[in-house]
Amino acid sequence: MAIPDISTELRQSLDRHRFSLRPQPEARSGEKTVHLVLDHGAEALHAGRVDFHLGLWSAFAVVRGHGLFRSEEVSRHETFEEAVLAVLANFTHLE
């Protein structure tokens, strides 16, 4: 799965703050999942994910450091870039 395009400004900001977008290769037919990851030296910390389902992008941000359900759906958007921004604005813990 190819990652949808984002603006140059957002791409530069993600790079500057060491975030990367990583596709989930085994997504089901008609669905897309992209993870937002903070590259922290030798390890990668998960900040959230963006899922495309039924025509909308859902933003899921990691909001708790522990527990069974660490992330919550924070919003739904028509564009991929808006959903990525929602994850960035809402994550509070890194896995």
Side-chain angles (χ1 to χ4, degrees):
M1 177 198 120
I3 296 173
D5 292 330
I6 58 174
S7 68
T8 302
E9 294 83 6
L10 179 56
R11 172 65 62 199
Q12 290 172 347
S13 181
L14 289 173
D15 292 343
R16 186 171 45 253
H17 296 288
R18 299 185 332 258
F19 281 98
S20 62
L21 299 171
R22 299 185 184 173
Q24 182 170 319
E26 67 271 358
R28 291 180 276 182
S29 178
E31 296 182 3
K32 299 174 187 172
T33 299
V34 178
H35 296 272
L36 186 61
V37 176
L38 176 62
D39 298 318
H40 189 65
E43 63 181 329
L45 304 171
H46 189 245
R49 74 179 193 279
V50 176
D51 293 340
F52 184 75
H53 181 69
L54 298 174
L56 290 174
W57 289 98
S58 297
F60 293 86
V62 175
V63 295
R64 285 177 285 287
H66 303 287
L68 183 59
F69 300 105
R70 295 181 181 166
S71 62
E72 288 184 3
E73 182 175 10
V74 292
S75 55
R76 293 184 184 182
H77 301 274
E78 291 185 12
T79 69
F80 175 72
E81 186 165 329
E82 289 173 345
V84 170
L85 289 169
V87 172
L88 288 170
N90 287 285
F91 83 90
T92 56
H93 288 87
L94 295 173
E95 294 179 326

